[in-house]
Amino acid sequence: MLKLRDGIVELYKKVATSIPPDIEEALKSAYKNEISGSVAGSSLGIILENINLARKTVRPVCQDTGIPVFFVRVPAGLSHVELKKSFVEATRIATERIPLRANAVDIITEKNSGDNTGTGFPVIYFEEVQGGTLTIDLMLKGGGCENAGRIYKLPAEELNAQRDLDGVRKCVIDTVQKAQGRGCPPYVLGVGVGGSVDQVAVLAKRQLLCKLTDTNRIGELVKIEERLLREINQLGIGPLGLGGESTAIGVKIGVNHRHPASYFVDVSVSCWATRRGRLIW
Amino acid sequence: MVGPKKIKLPLSSEDVAGLKVGDLVLLSGNIVSGRDRMHKYLVEKRPAPDDIPFNLSGAVIYHCGPVIKKVDDNYMVIAAGPTTSMRVEMYEAAVIREYGIKGIIGKGGMSGNTLRALQETGCVYFNTIGGAAVYLADRIKKILDVWKLDEFGPTEAMWLFEVDEFPAIVTMDAHGNNMHRDIEELSLRKFSELTR
């Protein structure tokens, strides 16, 4: 599978050194919305210049090249074990060649593996699909914004959040309010709602793969996403957390069925440098 | 809006006293990088100044774990934006007091203990642009030295950088002001309205 490995190295390069067009467009709109010459406006100006500079000089947009997360849709019959080998090998090569920052640290020894591979590193989610197309989505998820994420178990009395969609809305605003500027706003928020902790965390992260221009298939969620985006931008946190109109550029919500007793909400925060890309094989 | 203040490092006590929350600055001179592991080490192990290859007294610490590339025997800075400062809140006040730090550069701001140390010792916190790693790497003109590279690795080591017109905003000053706290209070009020 030599060719696939090289394809993944190229995917790494594209994802680390550029910003997807929908995100860049949203940042440009945010820039136009801020008062020219304000801290928020000038910061977004530098952010846009940084995006251009990274693309032109093929350098990582952010020094934190993140934790690599693969979401892979695999046609029946293709070996997951073999695929994983290609991902790991591509990760080693990409780390040295681009370069990426080595981010995989051993919990016991505190030693950095030096090549972004280790136990559970990179993160890989496989899903078997019908048809013959292998689809690989790669996200490079920065640590600062990953730390800003939160999980809730509804009802949450301190938020006056009940077990309904309005409760979900309160959780998302709470996450942003508590994150302030620490995870590099303007943010994209991925939200997962359902009945088991492990599932909602992955579901939330998976929402970050959606383009900002995509429309949720569930009408009720479209309304909440729009309302949340409007309300989050009223918080006044702004780019860098130093005040301004643009605190978020997108909210995407995914739902699973839940157990009658359980109502979990996971909010995954993504920085303005939301880096994702797809390879179709 | 007033143009940015151009400041030559090291910071003098007068420089620090003259800086106020909201001031835009362009810093030129030497700074050192230091993040999670270095702060823990400085506070837990208390290395003597003689064990540190450069003088931290009066220094500016940049919360940054850069991407560094080794070409032959030389190191190049590829990307070098700020990391979240709050993670070293539990160490920073001690580091400022113990080593005589005059400036911190990071992102997201810090909290009460650090703010008190800034005020008591005459130190200032600069917020720079999170994620603008290539833009900021280009403001680093030279790597002058490095400490703990073998032990901590390039991300967590302390690099001595020479910077030219490195952009930042004073968000916590030596007079007890904290812009992050103010923004958080305002947003909390709005949050209460939205979630009532």
Side-chain angles (χ1 to χ4, degrees), chain A residues 37 39 46 49-50 53 59-61 63 101 110 169-170 173-174 177 180 182 184 234-235 242-243 272, chain B residues 1 65 67 78-79 81 84 107 130-135 138 155 169 183-184 187-188 190-191 194-195:
Chain A
V39 167
I46 291 183
E49 196 178 333
N50 184 74
L53 204 55
R59 282 184 288 169
V61 171
Q63 82 288 340
R101 195 175 74 186
E110 280 290 303
R169 179 185 70 88
K170 289 172 179 171
I173 303 181
D174 182 62
Q177 154 62 24
Q180 291 290 314
R182 291 184 277 275
C184 290
Q234 288 170 18
L235 290 172
L242 300 179
W272 66 256
Chain B
M1 200 176 61
V67 177
I78 304 290
T84 312
K107 73 163 158 106
V134 178
Y135 183 91
D138 288 350
T155 305
I169 305 154
I183 301 262
E184 186 157 3
S187 69
L188 192 59
K190 191 72 205 174
F191 169 80
L194 293 170
T195 57

mmCIF file of all heavy atoms in Angstrom, chain A residues 37 39 46 49-50 53 59-61 63 101 110 169-170 173-174 177 180 182 184 234-235 242-243 272, chain B residues 1 65 67 78-79 81 84 107 130-135 138 155 169 183-184 187-188 190-191 194-195:
data_model
loop_
_atom_site.group_PDB
_atom_site.id
_atom_site.type_symbol
_atom_site.label_atom_id
_atom_site.label_comp_id
_atom_site.label_asym_id
_atom_site.label_seq_id
_atom_site.Cartn_x
_atom_site.Cartn_y
_atom_site.Cartn_z
ATOM 1 N N GLY A 37 -9.351 48.731 12.628
ATOM 2 C CA GLY A 37 -8.387 49.328 13.552
ATOM 3 C C GLY A 37 -8.580 48.896 15.001
ATOM 4 O O GLY A 37 -7.745 49.182 15.852
ATOM 5 N N VAL A 39 -8.796 46.126 18.191
ATOM 6 C CA VAL A 39 -7.966 44.955 18.503
ATOM 7 C C VAL A 39 -8.500 43.735 17.743
ATOM 8 O O VAL A 39 -7.745 42.980 17.133
ATOM 9 C CB VAL A 39 -7.954 44.690 20.026
ATOM 10 C CG1 VAL A 39 -7.374 43.319 20.333
ATOM 11 C CG2 VAL A 39 -7.153 45.766 20.731
ATOM 12 N N ILE A 46 -4.249 40.020 10.950
ATOM 13 C CA ILE A 46 -2.996 39.256 11.064
ATOM 14 C C ILE A 46 -3.273 37.758 10.867
ATOM 15 O O ILE A 46 -2.501 37.049 10.227
ATOM 16 C CB ILE A 46 -2.299 39.537 12.416
ATOM 17 C CG1 ILE A 46 -1.784 40.978 12.411
ATOM 18 C CG2 ILE A 46 -1.152 38.552 12.667
ATOM 19 C CD1 ILE A 46 -1.003 41.393 13.642
ATOM 20 N N GLU A 49 -3.559 37.169 7.225
ATOM 21 C CA GLU A 49 -2.224 37.265 6.624
ATOM 22 C C GLU A 49 -1.429 35.988 6.927
ATOM 23 O O GLU A 49 -0.708 35.464 6.069
ATOM 24 C CB GLU A 49 -1.516 38.495 7.207
ATOM 25 C CG GLU A 49 -0.299 38.917 6.406
ATOM 26 C CD GLU A 49 0.353 40.170 6.971
ATOM 27 O OE1 GLU A 49 -0.342 40.991 7.613
ATOM 28 O OE2 GLU A 49 1.582 40.309 6.776
ATOM 29 N N ASN A 50 -1.585 35.495 8.157
ATOM 30 C CA ASN A 50 -0.897 34.260 8.554
ATOM 31 C C ASN A 50 -1.336 33.064 7.687
ATOM 32 O O ASN A 50 -0.522 32.239 7.284
ATOM 33 C CB ASN A 50 -1.184 33.976 10.027
ATOM 34 C CG ASN A 50 -0.431 32.774 10.558
ATOM 35 O OD1 ASN A 50 0.772 32.830 10.785
ATOM 36 N ND2 ASN A 50 -1.126 31.659 10.711
ATOM 37 N N LEU A 53 0.335 33.405 4.332
ATOM 38 C CA LEU A 53 1.772 33.170 4.454
ATOM 39 C C LEU A 53 2.066 31.672 4.608
ATOM 40 O O LEU A 53 3.005 31.146 4.002
ATOM 41 C CB LEU A 53 2.254 33.934 5.689
ATOM 42 C CG LEU A 53 3.704 34.343 5.800
ATOM 43 C CD1 LEU A 53 4.123 35.161 4.595
ATOM 44 C CD2 LEU A 53 3.889 35.190 7.081
ATOM 45 N N ARG A 59 4.177 26.175 5.250
ATOM 46 C CA ARG A 59 4.527 25.941 6.656
ATOM 47 C C ARG A 59 3.236 25.742 7.446
ATOM 48 O O ARG A 59 2.181 26.248 7.043
ATOM 49 C CB ARG A 59 5.282 27.154 7.217
ATOM 50 C CG ARG A 59 6.732 27.197 6.794
ATOM 51 C CD ARG A 59 7.454 28.358 7.455
ATOM 52 N NE ARG A 59 7.063 29.638 6.895
ATOM 53 C CZ ARG A 59 7.384 30.813 7.440
ATOM 54 N NH1 ARG A 59 8.080 30.861 8.556
ATOM 55 N NH2 ARG A 59 7.018 31.949 6.870
ATOM 56 N N PRO A 60 3.296 25.037 8.591
ATOM 57 C CA PRO A 60 2.081 24.824 9.375
ATOM 58 C C PRO A 60 1.429 26.143 9.796
ATOM 59 O O PRO A 60 2.122 27.037 10.294
ATOM 60 C CB PRO A 60 2.575 24.059 10.603
ATOM 61 C CG PRO A 60 3.842 23.410 10.161
ATOM 62 C CD PRO A 60 4.465 24.351 9.170
ATOM 63 N N VAL A 61 0.116 26.241 9.593
ATOM 64 C CA VAL A 61 -0.649 27.435 9.961
ATOM 65 C C VAL A 61 -0.425 27.769 11.434
ATOM 66 O O VAL A 61 -0.238 28.919 11.805
ATOM 67 C CB VAL A 61 -2.151 27.187 9.706
ATOM 68 C CG1 VAL A 61 -2.992 28.316 10.269
ATOM 69 C CG2 VAL A 61 -2.414 27.008 8.227
ATOM 70 N N GLN A 63 1.703 26.454 15.147
ATOM 71 C CA GLN A 63 2.800 25.598 15.624
ATOM 72 C C GLN A 63 2.253 24.353 16.303
ATOM 73 O O GLN A 63 2.925 23.326 16.342
ATOM 74 C CB GLN A 63 3.731 26.378 16.565
ATOM 75 C CG GLN A 63 3.288 26.508 18.008
ATOM 76 C CD GLN A 63 2.119 27.463 18.171
ATOM 77 O OE1 GLN A 63 1.862 28.292 17.301
ATOM 78 N NE2 GLN A 63 1.402 27.350 19.277
ATOM 79 N N ARG A 101 4.847 19.355 14.507
ATOM 80 C CA ARG A 101 5.429 19.297 15.841
ATOM 81 C C ARG A 101 5.141 17.916 16.421
ATOM 82 O O ARG A 101 4.033 17.410 16.283
ATOM 83 C CB ARG A 101 4.819 20.376 16.742
ATOM 84 C CG ARG A 101 5.650 20.596 18.005
ATOM 85 C CD ARG A 101 5.115 21.735 18.809
ATOM 86 N NE ARG A 101 3.882 21.368 19.482
ATOM 87 C CZ ARG A 101 3.133 22.212 20.176
ATOM 88 N NH1 ARG A 101 3.487 23.477 20.263
ATOM 89 N NH2 ARG A 101 2.023 21.812 20.775
ATOM 90 N N GLU A 110 6.950 10.435 30.386
ATOM 91 C CA GLU A 110 6.932 11.841 29.954
ATOM 92 C C GLU A 110 7.788 12.058 28.704
ATOM 93 O O GLU A 110 8.102 13.182 28.344
ATOM 94 C CB GLU A 110 7.419 12.784 31.077
ATOM 95 C CG GLU A 110 6.369 13.087 32.128
ATOM 96 C CD GLU A 110 5.232 13.984 31.619
ATOM 97 O OE1 GLU A 110 5.520 15.080 31.141
ATOM 98 O OE2 GLU A 110 4.072 13.547 31.669
ATOM 99 N N ARG A 169 -28.775 23.882 24.263
ATOM 100 C CA ARG A 169 -28.361 25.249 23.907
ATOM 101 C C ARG A 169 -27.583 25.896 25.063
ATOM 102 O O ARG A 169 -26.520 26.499 24.856
ATOM 103 C CB ARG A 169 -29.614 26.082 23.591
ATOM 104 C CG ARG A 169 -29.352 27.531 23.231
ATOM 105 C CD ARG A 169 -30.648 28.320 23.047
ATOM 106 N NE ARG A 169 -31.355 28.525 24.312
ATOM 107 C CZ ARG A 169 -31.145 29.551 25.146
ATOM 108 N NH1 ARG A 169 -30.255 30.471 24.836
ATOM 109 N NH2 ARG A 169 -31.818 29.654 26.275
ATOM 110 N N LYS A 170 -28.085 25.721 26.291
ATOM 111 C CA LYS A 170 -27.415 26.335 27.443
ATOM 112 C C LYS A 170 -26.022 25.743 27.661
ATOM 113 O O LYS A 170 -25.082 26.449 28.029
ATOM 114 C CB LYS A 170 -28.278 26.177 28.699
ATOM 115 C CG LYS A 170 -29.513 27.068 28.638
ATOM 116 C CD LYS A 170 -30.477 26.798 29.763
ATOM 117 C CE LYS A 170 -31.673 27.747 29.655
ATOM 118 N NZ LYS A 170 -32.743 27.390 30.593
ATOM 119 N N ILE A 173 -23.541 27.402 25.149
ATOM 120 C CA ILE A 173 -23.162 28.779 25.532
ATOM 121 C C ILE A 173 -22.238 28.741 26.743
ATOM 122 O O ILE A 173 -21.270 29.501 26.831
ATOM 123 C CB ILE A 173 -24.409 29.651 25.842
ATOM 124 C CG1 ILE A 173 -25.357 29.665 24.637
ATOM 125 C CG2 ILE A 173 -24.003 31.085 26.162
ATOM 126 C CD1 ILE A 173 -26.583 30.511 24.837
ATOM 127 N N ASP A 174 -22.510 27.825 27.676
ATOM 128 C CA ASP A 174 -21.669 27.703 28.867
ATOM 129 C C ASP A 174 -20.224 27.345 28.493
ATOM 130 O O ASP A 174 -19.270 27.901 29.049
ATOM 131 C CB ASP A 174 -22.250 26.634 29.808
ATOM 132 C CG ASP A 174 -21.448 26.504 31.090
ATOM 133 O OD1 ASP A 174 -21.385 27.494 31.831
ATOM 134 O OD2 ASP A 174 -20.868 25.426 31.327
ATOM 135 N N GLN A 177 -18.580 30.450 27.085
ATOM 136 C CA GLN A 177 -18.375 31.426 28.157
ATOM 137 C C GLN A 177 -17.173 31.026 29.021
ATOM 138 O O GLN A 177 -16.343 31.863 29.370
ATOM 139 C CB GLN A 177 -19.674 31.512 28.988
ATOM 140 C CG GLN A 177 -19.544 31.941 30.423
ATOM 141 C CD GLN A 177 -18.991 33.345 30.565
ATOM 142 O OE1 GLN A 177 -19.106 34.168 29.658
ATOM 143 N NE2 GLN A 177 -18.358 33.613 31.694
ATOM 144 N N GLN A 180 -13.667 31.379 27.106
ATOM 145 C CA GLN A 180 -13.172 32.744 26.854
ATOM 146 C C GLN A 180 -12.222 32.727 25.641
ATOM 147 O O GLN A 180 -12.547 32.129 24.636
ATOM 148 C CB GLN A 180 -12.508 33.306 28.124
ATOM 149 C CG GLN A 180 -13.505 33.596 29.247
ATOM 150 C CD GLN A 180 -14.420 34.789 28.957
ATOM 151 O OE1 GLN A 180 -13.975 35.838 28.523
ATOM 152 N NE2 GLN A 180 -15.720 34.598 29.165
ATOM 153 N N ARG A 182 -9.216 31.381 25.534
ATOM 154 C CA ARG A 182 -8.104 30.447 25.722
ATOM 155 C C ARG A 182 -7.938 29.433 24.596
ATOM 156 O O ARG A 182 -6.876 28.871 24.423
ATOM 157 C CB ARG A 182 -8.243 29.743 27.074
ATOM 158 C CG ARG A 182 -8.014 30.699 28.234
ATOM 159 C CD ARG A 182 -8.048 30.002 29.575
ATOM 160 N NE ARG A 182 -9.398 29.831 30.071
ATOM 161 C CZ ARG A 182 -10.077 30.755 30.755
ATOM 162 N NH1 ARG A 182 -9.525 31.924 31.018
ATOM 163 N NH2 ARG A 182 -11.301 30.525 31.171
ATOM 164 N N CYS A 184 -8.435 30.068 21.257
ATOM 165 C CA CYS A 184 -8.266 30.782 19.984
ATOM 166 C C CYS A 184 -9.554 30.967 19.183
ATOM 167 O O CYS A 184 -9.762 30.359 18.135
ATOM 168 C CB CYS A 184 -7.191 30.122 19.118
ATOM 169 S SG CYS A 184 -5.549 30.333 19.772
ATOM 170 N N GLN A 234 -23.060 37.345 20.802
ATOM 171 C CA GLN A 234 -23.460 38.461 21.671
ATOM 172 C C GLN A 234 -22.659 38.476 22.971
ATOM 173 O O GLN A 234 -22.745 39.423 23.747
ATOM 174 C CB GLN A 234 -24.954 38.342 22.023
ATOM 175 C CG GLN A 234 -25.875 38.651 20.855
ATOM 176 C CD GLN A 234 -27.335 38.287 21.152
ATOM 177 O OE1 GLN A 234 -27.719 38.120 22.305
ATOM 178 N NE2 GLN A 234 -28.129 38.161 20.113
ATOM 179 N N LEU A 235 -21.869 37.416 23.215
ATOM 180 C CA LEU A 235 -21.120 37.337 24.473
ATOM 181 C C LEU A 235 -20.015 38.389 24.549
ATOM 182 O O LEU A 235 -19.539 38.726 25.629
ATOM 183 C CB LEU A 235 -20.517 35.938 24.670
ATOM 184 C CG LEU A 235 -21.498 34.790 24.964
ATOM 185 C CD1 LEU A 235 -20.771 33.456 24.942
ATOM 186 C CD2 LEU A 235 -22.174 34.995 26.313
ATOM 187 N N LEU A 242 -10.349 39.189 23.367
ATOM 188 C CA LEU A 242 -10.101 40.562 23.810
ATOM 189 C C LEU A 242 -11.228 41.501 23.402
ATOM 190 O O LEU A 242 -11.026 42.696 23.216
ATOM 191 C CB LEU A 242 -8.747 41.044 23.265
ATOM 192 C CG LEU A 242 -7.545 40.210 23.706
ATOM 193 C CD1 LEU A 242 -6.261 40.753 23.110
ATOM 194 C CD2 LEU A 242 -7.440 40.173 25.227
ATOM 195 N N GLY A 243 -12.415 40.931 23.216
ATOM 196 C CA GLY A 243 -13.581 41.726 22.862
ATOM 197 C C GLY A 243 -13.818 41.751 21.367
ATOM 198 O O GLY A 243 -12.877 41.640 20.580
ATOM 199 N N TRP A 272 -9.968 28.944 15.505
ATOM 200 C CA TRP A 272 -10.170 29.522 14.159
ATOM 201 C C TRP A 272 -9.376 28.723 13.131
ATOM 202 O O TRP A 272 -9.802 28.638 11.967
ATOM 203 C CB TRP A 272 -9.823 31.018 14.119
ATOM 204 C CG TRP A 272 -8.367 31.361 14.352
ATOM 205 C CD1 TRP A 272 -7.829 31.878 15.493
ATOM 206 C CD2 TRP A 272 -7.285 31.231 13.422
ATOM 207 N NE1 TRP A 272 -6.480 32.053 15.334
ATOM 208 C CE2 TRP A 272 -6.110 31.679 14.076
ATOM 209 C CE3 TRP A 272 -7.176 30.790 12.102
ATOM 210 C CZ2 TRP A 272 -4.861 31.687 13.458
ATOM 211 C CZ3 TRP A 272 -5.928 30.802 11.486
ATOM 212 C CH2 TRP A 272 -4.795 31.239 12.177
ATOM 213 N N MET B 1 -7.161 55.254 16.757
ATOM 214 C CA MET B 1 -6.348 54.460 17.684
ATOM 215 C C MET B 1 -4.872 54.857 17.571
ATOM 216 O O MET B 1 -4.388 55.142 16.495
ATOM 217 C CB MET B 1 -6.510 52.974 17.350
ATOM 218 C CG MET B 1 -6.128 52.075 18.482
ATOM 219 S SD MET B 1 -6.447 50.350 18.103
ATOM 220 C CE MET B 1 -5.388 50.103 16.688
ATOM 221 N N GLY B 65 5.522 26.630 22.353
ATOM 222 C CA GLY B 65 6.209 25.384 22.013
ATOM 223 C C GLY B 65 6.370 25.364 20.500
ATOM 224 O O GLY B 65 5.477 24.944 19.782
ATOM 225 N N VAL B 67 7.592 24.910 16.431
ATOM 226 C CA VAL B 67 8.048 23.867 15.504
ATOM 227 C C VAL B 67 9.440 24.297 15.064
ATOM 228 O O VAL B 67 9.628 25.385 14.529
ATOM 229 C CB VAL B 67 7.144 23.750 14.251
ATOM 230 C CG1 VAL B 67 7.702 22.702 13.291
ATOM 231 C CG2 VAL B 67 5.718 23.395 14.635
ATOM 232 N N ILE B 78 10.186 27.280 12.453
ATOM 233 C CA ILE B 78 9.227 27.148 11.360
ATOM 234 C C ILE B 78 7.904 27.817 11.730
ATOM 235 O O ILE B 78 7.306 28.526 10.926
ATOM 236 C CB ILE B 78 8.964 25.648 11.050
ATOM 237 C CG1 ILE B 78 10.276 24.917 10.740
ATOM 238 C CG2 ILE B 78 7.950 25.477 9.939
ATOM 239 C CD1 ILE B 78 10.920 25.289 9.426
ATOM 240 N N ALA B 79 7.443 27.585 12.936
ATOM 241 C CA ALA B 79 6.161 28.125 13.396
ATOM 242 C C ALA B 79 6.246 28.333 14.900
ATOM 243 O O ALA B 79 6.765 27.465 15.610
ATOM 244 C CB ALA B 79 5.026 27.163 13.044
ATOM 245 N N GLY B 81 3.657 30.284 17.416
ATOM 246 C CA GLY B 81 2.603 31.075 18.058
ATOM 247 C C GLY B 81 2.547 30.770 19.543
ATOM 248 O O GLY B 81 3.247 29.879 20.033
ATOM 249 N N THR B 84 -1.667 28.366 25.470
ATOM 250 C CA THR B 84 -2.584 28.869 26.500
ATOM 251 C C THR B 84 -1.865 29.090 27.832
ATOM 252 O O THR B 84 -1.350 28.148 28.433
ATOM 253 C CB THR B 84 -3.741 27.870 26.703
ATOM 254 O OG1 THR B 84 -4.265 27.509 25.425
ATOM 255 C CG2 THR B 84 -4.853 28.469 27.543
ATOM 256 N N LYS B 107 -1.182 33.658 25.508
ATOM 257 C CA LYS B 107 -2.534 33.911 25.015
ATOM 258 C C LYS B 107 -3.570 33.505 26.054
ATOM 259 O O LYS B 107 -3.325 32.606 26.861
ATOM 260 C CB LYS B 107 -2.784 33.178 23.693
ATOM 261 C CG LYS B 107 -2.954 31.669 23.825
ATOM 262 C CD LYS B 107 -3.592 31.085 22.579
ATOM 263 C CE LYS B 107 -3.314 29.599 22.424
ATOM 264 N NZ LYS B 107 -4.466 28.747 22.733
ATOM 265 N N GLY B 130 -3.013 34.212 18.988
ATOM 266 C CA GLY B 130 -3.075 32.755 19.011
ATOM 267 C C GLY B 130 -3.222 32.212 17.600
ATOM 268 O O GLY B 130 -4.070 32.660 16.842
ATOM 269 N N GLY B 131 -2.400 31.247 17.260
ATOM 270 C CA GLY B 131 -2.493 30.583 15.961
ATOM 271 C C GLY B 131 -1.743 31.266 14.830
ATOM 272 O O GLY B 131 -1.549 30.658 13.780
ATOM 273 N N ALA B 132 -1.298 32.507 15.039
ATOM 274 C CA ALA B 132 -0.594 33.204 13.946
ATOM 275 C C ALA B 132 0.878 32.783 13.922
ATOM 276 O O ALA B 132 1.793 33.599 13.975
ATOM 277 C CB ALA B 132 -0.747 34.709 14.093
ATOM 278 N N ALA B 133 1.090 31.486 13.803
ATOM 279 C CA ALA B 133 2.394 30.890 14.087
ATOM 280 C C ALA B 133 3.477 31.215 13.054
ATOM 281 O O ALA B 133 4.645 31.342 13.394
ATOM 282 C CB ALA B 133 2.241 29.377 14.194
ATOM 283 N N VAL B 134 3.069 31.340 11.802
ATOM 284 C CA VAL B 134 4.040 31.617 10.743
ATOM 285 C C VAL B 134 4.408 33.099 10.773
ATOM 286 O O VAL B 134 5.577 33.481 10.713
ATOM 287 C CB VAL B 134 3.443 31.217 9.373
ATOM 288 C CG1 VAL B 134 4.405 31.538 8.259
ATOM 289 C CG2 VAL B 134 3.094 29.740 9.357
ATOM 290 N N TYR B 135 3.374 33.917 10.908
ATOM 291 C CA TYR B 135 3.562 35.367 11.014
ATOM 292 C C TYR B 135 4.502 35.695 12.181
ATOM 293 O O TYR B 135 5.422 36.498 12.045
ATOM 294 C CB TYR B 135 2.197 36.029 11.213
ATOM 295 C CG TYR B 135 2.219 37.531 11.276
ATOM 296 C CD1 TYR B 135 2.052 38.294 10.127
ATOM 297 C CD2 TYR B 135 2.409 38.189 12.490
ATOM 298 C CE1 TYR B 135 2.073 39.671 10.181
ATOM 299 C CE2 TYR B 135 2.432 39.566 12.560
ATOM 300 C CZ TYR B 135 2.257 40.305 11.402
ATOM 301 O OH TYR B 135 2.282 41.672 11.466
ATOM 302 N N ASP B 138 8.177 34.578 11.781
ATOM 303 C CA ASP B 138 8.958 35.498 10.951
ATOM 304 C C ASP B 138 9.432 36.730 11.707
ATOM 305 O O ASP B 138 10.268 37.487 11.206
ATOM 306 C CB ASP B 138 8.143 35.912 9.716
ATOM 307 C CG ASP B 138 8.015 34.757 8.710
ATOM 308 O OD1 ASP B 138 8.709 33.730 8.902
ATOM 309 O OD2 ASP B 138 7.232 34.884 7.755
ATOM 310 N N THR B 155 9.877 21.110 21.860
ATOM 311 C CA THR B 155 8.636 21.825 22.191
ATOM 312 C C THR B 155 8.702 22.439 23.580
ATOM 313 O O THR B 155 8.250 23.559 23.796
ATOM 314 C CB THR B 155 7.439 20.846 22.117
ATOM 315 O OG1 THR B 155 7.437 20.239 20.833
ATOM 316 C CG2 THR B 155 6.127 21.554 22.341
ATOM 317 N N ILE B 169 -0.362 42.790 22.754
ATOM 318 C CA ILE B 169 -1.221 43.775 23.431
ATOM 319 C C ILE B 169 -1.047 43.568 24.925
ATOM 320 O O ILE B 169 -1.052 42.425 25.400
ATOM 321 C CB ILE B 169 -2.702 43.539 23.064
ATOM 322 C CG1 ILE B 169 -2.893 43.553 21.556
ATOM 323 C CG2 ILE B 169 -3.602 44.561 23.735
ATOM 324 C CD1 ILE B 169 -4.090 42.746 21.103
ATOM 325 N N ILE B 183 -13.406 41.293 30.353
ATOM 326 C CA ILE B 183 -14.194 40.703 29.254
ATOM 327 C C ILE B 183 -15.019 39.532 29.799
ATOM 328 O O ILE B 183 -16.177 39.357 29.440
ATOM 329 C CB ILE B 183 -13.260 40.191 28.130
ATOM 330 C CG1 ILE B 183 -12.415 41.335 27.582
ATOM 331 C CG2 ILE B 183 -14.042 39.439 27.059
ATOM 332 C CD1 ILE B 183 -12.875 41.982 26.333
ATOM 333 N N GLU B 184 -14.410 38.745 30.675
ATOM 334 C CA GLU B 184 -15.111 37.591 31.228
ATOM 335 C C GLU B 184 -16.329 38.036 32.048
ATOM 336 O O GLU B 184 -17.397 37.436 31.953
ATOM 337 C CB GLU B 184 -14.157 36.756 32.091
ATOM 338 C CG GLU B 184 -14.793 35.474 32.575
ATOM 339 C CD GLU B 184 -13.779 34.391 32.939
ATOM 340 O OE1 GLU B 184 -12.560 34.647 32.879
ATOM 341 O OE2 GLU B 184 -14.232 33.294 33.294
ATOM 342 N N SER B 187 -19.069 39.120 29.630
ATOM 343 C CA SER B 187 -19.683 37.996 28.921
ATOM 344 C C SER B 187 -20.531 37.157 29.878
ATOM 345 O O SER B 187 -21.539 36.588 29.483
ATOM 346 C CB SER B 187 -18.623 37.137 28.224
ATOM 347 O OG SER B 187 -17.845 36.458 29.164
ATOM 348 N N LEU B 188 -20.124 37.129 31.142
ATOM 349 C CA LEU B 188 -20.893 36.366 32.129
ATOM 350 C C LEU B 188 -22.271 37.004 32.345
ATOM 351 O O LEU B 188 -23.282 36.313 32.484
ATOM 352 C CB LEU B 188 -20.121 36.303 33.457
ATOM 353 C CG LEU B 188 -20.658 35.318 34.491
ATOM 354 C CD1 LEU B 188 -20.658 33.892 33.949
ATOM 355 C CD2 LEU B 188 -19.824 35.373 35.772
ATOM 356 N N LYS B 190 -23.931 38.692 30.097
ATOM 357 C CA LYS B 190 -24.712 38.366 28.902
ATOM 358 C C LYS B 190 -25.163 36.902 28.950
ATOM 359 O O LYS B 190 -26.294 36.577 28.602
ATOM 360 C CB LYS B 190 -23.832 38.620 27.656
ATOM 361 C CG LYS B 190 -24.566 38.583 26.361
ATOM 362 C CD LYS B 190 -25.454 39.819 26.175
ATOM 363 C CE LYS B 190 -26.597 39.499 25.240
ATOM 364 N NZ LYS B 190 -27.561 40.609 25.128
ATOM 365 N N PHE B 191 -24.252 36.056 29.406
ATOM 366 C CA PHE B 191 -24.542 34.623 29.537
ATOM 367 C C PHE B 191 -25.761 34.400 30.441
ATOM 368 O O PHE B 191 -26.646 33.609 30.128
ATOM 369 C CB PHE B 191 -23.300 33.922 30.114
ATOM 370 C CG PHE B 191 -23.520 32.507 30.543
ATOM 371 C CD1 PHE B 191 -23.530 31.483 29.612
ATOM 372 C CD2 PHE B 191 -23.708 32.191 31.889
ATOM 373 C CE1 PHE B 191 -23.730 30.171 30.013
ATOM 374 C CE2 PHE B 191 -23.909 30.891 32.292
ATOM 375 C CZ PHE B 191 -23.926 29.879 31.345
ATOM 376 N N LEU B 194 -28.887 35.172 28.599
ATOM 377 C CA LEU B 194 -29.210 34.212 27.539
ATOM 378 C C LEU B 194 -29.675 32.864 28.075
ATOM 379 O O LEU B 194 -30.309 32.096 27.358
ATOM 380 C CB LEU B 194 -27.986 33.989 26.635
ATOM 381 C CG LEU B 194 -27.547 35.172 25.784
ATOM 382 C CD1 LEU B 194 -26.194 34.894 25.135
ATOM 383 C CD2 LEU B 194 -28.585 35.489 24.710
ATOM 384 N N THR B 195 -29.329 32.556 29.325
ATOM 385 C CA THR B 195 -29.647 31.218 29.829
ATOM 386 C C THR B 195 -30.660 31.251 30.967
ATOM 387 O O THR B 195 -30.882 30.261 31.638
ATOM 388 C CB THR B 195 -28.370 30.505 30.326
ATOM 389 O OG1 THR B 195 -27.763 31.323 31.326
ATOM 390 C CG2 THR B 195 -27.387 30.264 29.215
#
